Amino acid sequence: MTNTAQRLAEIRGDVPPKRHNARTIAALTGNPGCTRRAVLDGAGVDKPKLAERVGFPARFGQSRFAITRGNAFEARVKADGGVELLRLVAERLGVPVPAAASWTDLGGAEDLPDRHERSRAALTAPGDDAALFDHPLLGLSVAGQRVHLEPDLVAARLAGRFHVVEIKSFPVVDGQADPAKVSAAAIQAAVYVLALRELLAGQGRDPELVSHEVVLVCPRDFTNQPVASLVDVRRQLLVLRRQLDRMDRIEDLLARVPAGFTADPTADPATLTAALSAVEARYAPECLAACELAYFCRQEARARTGAMGRPVREALGGVADVAEALALAAGERAPQPERAEAAALLRAAARLRAEALAGDPA
């Protein structure tokens, strides 16, 4: 075991690392400035258990009913070797529906290296015949570490190109779906597209054989009838590549962590709270929908301007404390030269607020 691997094992405690998935990578790359999140995910810490241990349990996730409904819909779409799925994808792509297509299930095995090798062999084998590959195991570098992705998706090869197919249980009503859910599905799908492109490129094949158009299959109008849509994830791919490139190597991240830092969910809550507080976080309200530790970080950031959102934090140009922002707005404190612009903005906002209150008939 390398020194880095040993340090990561010490951080998470005597438990195996949590496996990454597209959701965790999307959330991690969505906030690349958060050292706390990057270190915990790099070490494979069980963040839901950690959040519960420090008294701020996560409050998001699917209900059992939603999971059951989603599983039933997925089974319906994949039935009979994916015959209906093949038809949906082909018709949405505007290509002839193949008379037949091979179906390869690459899931099930717990031996990750073996499963990854089976996925690599199946997805890069010569041939352009129509094929559906279920649960391929892909890989991606995150914070200097190679992680396995276990996508719950189908890679469809049609007309010589691969298309990532995401099956989701949220409905499409009158041709429209929840924009937030579509956006989340798009960034997760972009993770899969990037990983699949890297797999092909590693075998000397053209990564552009993996299309930037993802096929999203959802129920139509609250029924169990599937409908397919195309989602262009080029923008998400650009964001993903840029943010992954910006992320530090795990060794650099560990250099910012105090010696003896632990995130072992079995440790004493007071010890964990003190340890977490010693590692820099970058909380924003958007974290509430993506990070299991968001409520802990929000409590910690209550007196910080960042708690009001990234636009506020960026507009205030380094004014991190709410008390300092209020003092600058009231003219009670002279700003440092590098904060003069932020101070002027705060004073202008204070004047507008005073004028609005003065003109309020109530």
Side-chain angles (χ1 to χ4, degrees), residues 65-264:
F65 173 76
I67 293 172
T68 300
R69 183 185 62 204
N71 290 340
F73 178 68
E74 181 179 340
R76 153 91 168 81
V77 173
K78 292 181 178 180
D80 301 322
V83 171
E84 184 170 13
L85 180 61
L86 181 67
R87 178 188 63 79
L88 284 168
V89 173
E91 290 180 352
R92 177 50 60 192
L93 295 177
V95 300
V97 180
S102 62
W103 173 275
T104 305
D105 190 345
L106 296 165
E110 287 300 318
D111 186 341
L112 295 185
D114 175 70
R115 186 174 161 201
H116 185 268
E117 175 59 26
R118 289 193 297 110
S119 298
R120 182 202 63 76
L123 291 165
T124 61
D128 291 330
D129 294 339
L132 298 172
F133 303 92
D134 195 16
H135 298 105
L137 186 69
L138 305 174
L140 202 61
S141 292
V142 180
Q145 296 289 302
R146 192 70 179 172
V147 299
H148 288 111
L149 298 174
E150 297 188 276
D152 185 17
L153 61 80
V154 174
R157 187 176 66 202
L158 288 173
R161 298 198 75 193
F162 284 97
H163 288 265
V164 166
V165 181
E166 282 267 36
I167 302 172
K168 297 294 186 181
S169 61
F170 57 82
V172 174
V173 180
D174 293 333
Q176 299 292 323
D178 185 330
K181 292 181 179 179
V182 173
S183 177
I187 188 62
Q188 291 180 29
V191 174
Y192 299 140
V193 170
L194 183 58
L196 187 51
R197 285 182 173 180
E198 285 194 3
L199 177 65
L200 293 186
Q203 300 300 306
R205 301 191 63 187
D206 182 3
E208 294 302 317
L209 288 174
V210 183
S211 175
H212 58 263
E213 289 187 313
V214 171
V215 182
L216 189 62
V217 179
C218 300
R220 186 203 303 269
D221 298 331
F222 300 105
T223 68
N224 212 30
Q225 184 66 30
V227 59
S229 306
L230 279 183
V231 179
D232 189 329
V233 297
R234 279 178 290 187
R235 182 180 64 81
Q236 288 82 359
L237 282 168
L238 289 172
V239 171
L240 182 63
R241 287 194 187 98
R242 182 173 66 250
Q243 293 182 334
L244 285 175
D245 289 342
R246 287 172 57 196
M247 290 179 67
D248 296 321
R249 289 173 52 83
I250 192 65
E251 291 86 355
D252 297 331
L253 289 170
L254 291 176
R256 307 178 195 173
V257 176
F261 170 74
T262 181
D264 182 351

